[in-house]
Amino acid sequence: NAGVMQNPRHLVRRRGQEARLRCSPMKGHSHVYWYRQLPEEGLKFMVYLQKENIIDESGMPKERFSAEFPKEGPSILRIQQVVRGDSAAYFCASSQDRSSYNSPLHFGNGTRLTVT
Amino acid sequence: GNSVTQMEGPVTLSEEAFLTINCTYTATGYPSLFWYVQYPGEGLQLLLKATKADDKGSNKGFEATYRKETTSFHLEKGSVQVSDSAVYFCALEGAGNMLTFGGGTRLMVKP
C-alpha cells in the first residue's frame, strides 16, 4: 500500500515563475492537508481539502497561493510569481477521516522548493 | 489561540543516554496530543499519541504522559540509539481537528 506520494522531491524556480506541487494521498484517503516548513522551523498549516472542496484555507497566504483536490487526480498546490521567501519544504498529509486522533495523518516526503 | 512550545535543540547525547524533550502547550479544552518524528529527507511519522489527562502514549521505547495540570507532554526514552537521531515535533489537535506543531527539536545521538 503506497504511502502519500509527493512530486517533485526538489523544485527550483526563478523569481516570478510558477511552482506546482503535487500530492497523491494514500489509497482510501479523501482528506488532504498541506503544510509548509521553513528552514529550522516547525510545520505551519496551510490548507485542508476534501475531494473537490476546500474545507479550511486559513493558513494560506491570500495572494499567489492556491490549492485544489479534483475528483480525479492528485491534489495540487500552486504558487504563482514565486519569491525567495517561498523557499521551503512543502508537506502533504492525508487521512481517512477528519478526526486526527482516530485517523492519524500520514505525511509525504515533501517537496523542497528553492527560489533563486 | 493554540500553541505548542518545545525545548530548542539540538540535543546531543551519547548512545544509551536518557532522553527528555520538553513540550508544553496552550489550548482551550482538552486537545489530543502527539509526537511526530522526522528522519533526514523524509516526511513526518506519527510516533505516539494521547487523548486525555494521565494517558501515556508509547512506541519504540519512547513514552509521553499527558499532564493536564502542567499542560505538558514531555517525550522520554530510557536509552537512545544512533538510529533515533531525527527531529521530533510535538503537536496538538485543536478545533476542526487541525494539528498545531511545535518548532521541532533536533536530536543527535553519537556512538
Side-chain angles (χ1 to χ4, degrees), chain B residues 46-111:
Chain B
L46 178 63
L47 181 60
L48 52 83
K49 58 188 179 183
T51 186
K52 61 184 186 296
D54 299 326
D55 264 4
K56 178 185 283 187
S58 61
N59 186 25
K60 299 181 180 179
F62 291 89
E63 293 183 340
T65 301
Y66 192 144
R67 300 288 187 201
K68 187 177 70 173
E69 63 276 14
T70 55
T71 60
S72 65
F73 194 53
H74 304 322
L75 182 68
E76 296 181 337
K77 186 173 185 182
S79 175
V80 293
Q81 306 299 314
V82 173
S83 57
D84 294 326
S85 298
V87 181
Y88 292 82
F89 292 92
C90 185
L92 67 82
E93 182 188 42
N97 307 108
M98 293 304 150
L99 284 178
T100 298
F101 287 89
T105 302
R106 183 177 300 278
L107 170 65
M108 299 171 59
V109 180
K110 297 185 175 181

Side-chain angles (χ1 to χ4, degrees), chain A residues 9 33 35 37 40-45 48 56 91 98-110 112, chain B residues 32-34 36 38 41-46 49-51 55 89 93 96-104 106:
Chain A
R9 286 297 302 272
Y33 305 75
Y35 285 83
Q37 183 179 33
E40 302 303 320
E41 292 188 15
L43 277 74
K44 304 295 184 187
F45 167 76
Y48 163 39
D56 185 338
F91 289 95
R98 180 169 180 156
S99 170
S100 184
Y101 181 82
N102 294 316
S103 178
L105 292 181
H106 294 262
F107 282 82
N109 287 342
R112 281 151 183 84
Chain B
S32 296
L33 301 173
F34 304 81
Y36 281 81
Q38 183 181 29
E42 297 184 9
L44 276 69
Q45 301 174 26
L46 178 63
K49 58 188 179 183
T51 186
D55 264 4
F89 292 92
E93 182 188 42
N97 307 108
M98 293 304 150
L99 284 178
T100 298
F101 287 89
R106 183 177 300 278

Side-chain angles (χ1 to χ4, degrees), chain A residues 10-48:
Chain A
H10 301 276
L11 181 62
V12 180
R13 285 288 178 265
R14 291 181 180 157
R15 280 181 297 171
Q17 290 185 320
E18 178 179 284
R20 190 173 294 205
L21 289 62
R22 295 176 184 78
C23 169
S24 295
M26 282 184 68
K27 187 176 180 180
H29 287 190
S30 59
H31 300 250
V32 167
Y33 305 75
W34 284 94
Y35 285 83
R36 177 165 63 177
Q37 183 179 33
L38 294 170
E40 302 303 320
E41 292 188 15
L43 277 74
K44 304 295 184 187
F45 167 76
M46 298 182 73
V47 62
Y48 163 39

